[in-house]
Amino acid sequence: AFSLFTLQSTLAQAPAVAQPPPAQTDGFLDVPWGSDPESAKKPFASRTRSRLDRAARSNEKLQFIGGKFAGLKVSKFDLHFASDRFWKADVVFEAVSKDHRKEFATLKQLLIEKYGPPSSDNMHGDDLTVEWYLPGIPGTDKDKINLTTDIRGNGMKLFYAADRIARRPVGAPKAPD
């Protein structure tokens, strides 16, 4: 006999419906797009367990040394600013390891789970490049995510970019949410 308990058990075991990818990213690792450099320092260093490289600081960039991203060791993170507004993050992973292709595949899968299938997936020689262009909000630039390998020793590189922040004039209103 079919019962309410059977229905509840069946629903509890059913796979969750995948959420559509976000239209845009809100920021990178707890630092919202548009943040000023001073407010980005502490939460970023804490979240990534990296340290600020004061010698590499400029008006346009904060550089953090070491740390981790998605469980992988990082050589450096660069946070880029336009008119004191955070708009891009670069992650340079430690040099190629024996598990390089596996690490790339793992990180790519994590990004697919979060942002959906990539917009492009290419091989250039022995290097792989995967890119996502998020749908965006009408009237704004699309957010970009790019994951690239460099098997000649530089490891993987990842960037997130919100060009809509970099291109928005200072004092201009944000696009509607």
Side-chain angles (χ1 to χ4, degrees):
F2 190 75
S3 69
L4 183 57
F5 176 74
T6 305
L7 177 62
Q8 288 173 330
S9 296
T10 303
L11 291 175
Q13 294 173 3
V17 176
Q19 295 295 319
Q24 61 186 21
T25 57
D26 294 329
F28 182 73
L29 296 180
D30 298 335
V31 179
W33 298 128
S35 296
D36 64 84
E38 203 55 43
S39 64
K41 286 180 193 176
K42 190 174 181 178
F44 191 82
S46 175
R47 171 79 188 266
T48 61
R49 303 201 185 286
S50 61
R51 68 174 175 76
L52 178 65
D53 183 348
R54 295 190 189 284
R57 187 186 194 298
S58 71
N59 289 336
E60 292 85 33
K61 180 176 78 172
L62 292 176
Q63 188 170 91
F64 295 82
I65 304 300
K68 288 195 170 193
F69 179 87
L72 300 173
K73 290 182 180 179
V74 170
S75 175
K76 69 175 183 169
F77 294 93
D78 290 329
L79 303 186
H80 299 268
F81 298 84
S83 302
D84 277 341
R85 294 178 307 199
F86 176 49
W87 75 277
K88 182 181 178 192
D90 293 323
V91 182
V92 178
F93 294 89
E94 286 194 353
V96 176
S97 74
K98 63 180 174 51
D99 294 325
H100 181 65
R101 293 242 183 234
K102 182 178 174 186
E103 292 167 349
F104 181 85
T106 299
L107 187 51
K108 177 181 169 183
Q109 185 57 41
L110 289 171
L111 292 167
I112 288 171
E113 288 170 12
K114 187 165 185 174
Y115 300 108
S119 304
S120 67
D121 194 341
N122 301 304
M123 186 169 218
H124 305 283
D126 290 328
D127 296 333
L128 304 168
T129 299
V130 184
E131 297 178 301
W132 286 260
Y133 294 94
L134 301 182
I137 294 172
T140 66
D141 290 314
K142 295 179 179 187
D143 287 359
K144 294 180 276 195
I145 302 167
N146 177 295
L147 175 63
T148 305
T149 63
D150 180 353
I151 63 164
R152 288 174 294 286
N154 295 324
M156 292 185 293
K157 297 176 183 174
L158 171 71
F159 79 72
Y160 280 63
D163 289 341
R164 62 191 150 84
I165 303 298
R167 294 188 179 141
R168 189 176 77 224
V170 175
K174 287 180 13 178
D177 289 333

